[in-house]
Amino acid sequence: MMEQRNQEMPSIPLKKRLLMKMYSIWEHIYHITHRVQLEDEQDLLMFRTITYKGSPLTLSDGTVIRKGDRVLELHFNNELLLHTALQTKNTVHMITTLLHMMKATFNRMQTYIAMPKYQEAKALYGISLFHRGAKQFGFDVLDLPQGGNTAFQRFYLRMLLAIMHPGGRNRLKSHASMLAPKVLAVSIERFKQKDEDQV
């Protein structure tokens, strides 16, 4: 485990560090078996091409994601997130650093989505507890559809936060009402246009 420098982060007990390590090993195996790609070690996002199986999603640009469409499913690079959180000086520095890293990740993703292996994708799609600020990158933030595995998604994401965030359990207690998982989605065309708008 890396040395902790962020003085606003709580110290991490040995048991939790072991649990975090075990989860990281499981996550690494998951990424291999499910072909989740990390194109650059500095990317905050990993992704894989999947066939969408949920209810139709209507995005703000008029794009409708339907069952059977191919999308790029986004996953946070949790190892890099944790490393950054612990190495930054304080919470403000952490947020600023992560924002710059996310912008750089999305800039690189403009190159990724042009690759032949990703060109069939209709949209970028993910489910996350961390959705504040997503709209500035062109994403729509939508409620999870009722039914299906929605309850499991909520449970899993909150469990992940409790494991991977140094103050996870306390954060769950103090921000429970704000930590509702949301669908984040943007059409490939809108994502490309957002990048052009920022040039």
Side-chain angles (χ1 to χ4, degrees):
M1 181 62 65
M2 69 290 293
E3 179 184 356
Q4 182 174 331
R5 296 179 183 174
N6 189 335
Q7 297 303 310
E8 294 183 10
M9 287 288 185
S11 59
I12 305 175
L14 177 59
K15 288 184 179 180
K16 183 162 186 175
R17 281 186 283 162
L18 291 174
L19 187 60
M20 292 165 71
K21 183 63 175 179
M22 290 173 61
Y23 178 82
S24 295
I25 293 172
W26 176 88
E27 186 178 52
H28 181 67
I29 295 172
Y30 176 90
H31 290 161
I32 293 174
T33 56
H34 290 77
R35 298 181 180 179
V36 180
Q37 302 291 315
L38 178 64
E39 295 290 348
D40 189 292
E41 291 184 355
Q42 295 304 309
D43 284 345
L44 282 176
L45 294 172
M46 310 170 72
F47 48 89
R48 63 174 180 149
T49 305
I50 65 166
T51 299
Y52 181 73
K53 298 180 181 179
S55 303
L57 293 176
T58 302
L59 306 183
S60 58
D61 67 349
T63 299
V64 181
I65 303 175
R66 296 184 173 87
K67 184 176 181 179
D69 286 338
R70 300 288 278 176
V71 299
L72 286 181
E73 182 184 64
L74 304 177
H75 297 259
F76 274 116
N77 183 349
N78 288 311
E79 184 175 352
L80 182 58
L81 275 173
L82 179 61
H83 176 82
T84 302
L86 294 178
Q87 295 298 308
T88 48
K89 298 176 182 178
N90 51 53
T91 301
V92 173
H93 184 210
M94 177 185 69
I95 293 173
T96 302
T97 300
L98 289 176
L99 181 60
H100 285 306
M101 292 173 68
M102 186 62 77
K103 287 181 178 178
T105 296
F106 281 131
N107 286 338
R108 287 189 289 270
M109 284 192 70
Q110 295 292 335
T111 301
Y112 305 156
I113 61 178
M115 295 178 179
K117 61 181 177 179
Y118 299 129
Q119 286 199 350
E120 62 180 326
K122 188 175 185 178
L124 304 178
Y125 166 89
I127 298 176
S128 179
L129 292 172
F130 305 109
H131 40 77
R132 295 179 64 183
K135 291 183 178 180
Q136 69 176 292
F137 297 109
F139 283 79
D140 289 312
V141 180
L142 309 169
D143 290 333
L144 282 175
Q146 296 299 316
N149 64 349
T150 299
F152 174 77
Q153 289 279 5
R154 289 195 180 96
F155 168 78
Y156 172 76
L157 289 173
R158 290 190 175 209
M159 179 189 69
L160 176 58
L161 177 63
I163 293 173
M164 296 302 293
H165 193 287
R169 183 174 297 180
N170 291 332
R171 186 170 177 84
L172 280 174
K173 291 179 180 178
S174 60
H175 297 81
S177 61
M178 299 173 60
L179 292 173
K182 299 284 186 178
V183 172
L184 308 179
V186 60
S187 70
I188 293 295
E189 292 306 313
R190 174 59 183 145
F191 184 70
K192 291 178 180 177
Q193 184 62 46
K194 185 67 175 177
D195 182 66
E196 293 173 359
D197 293 343
Q198 293 176 346
V199 174

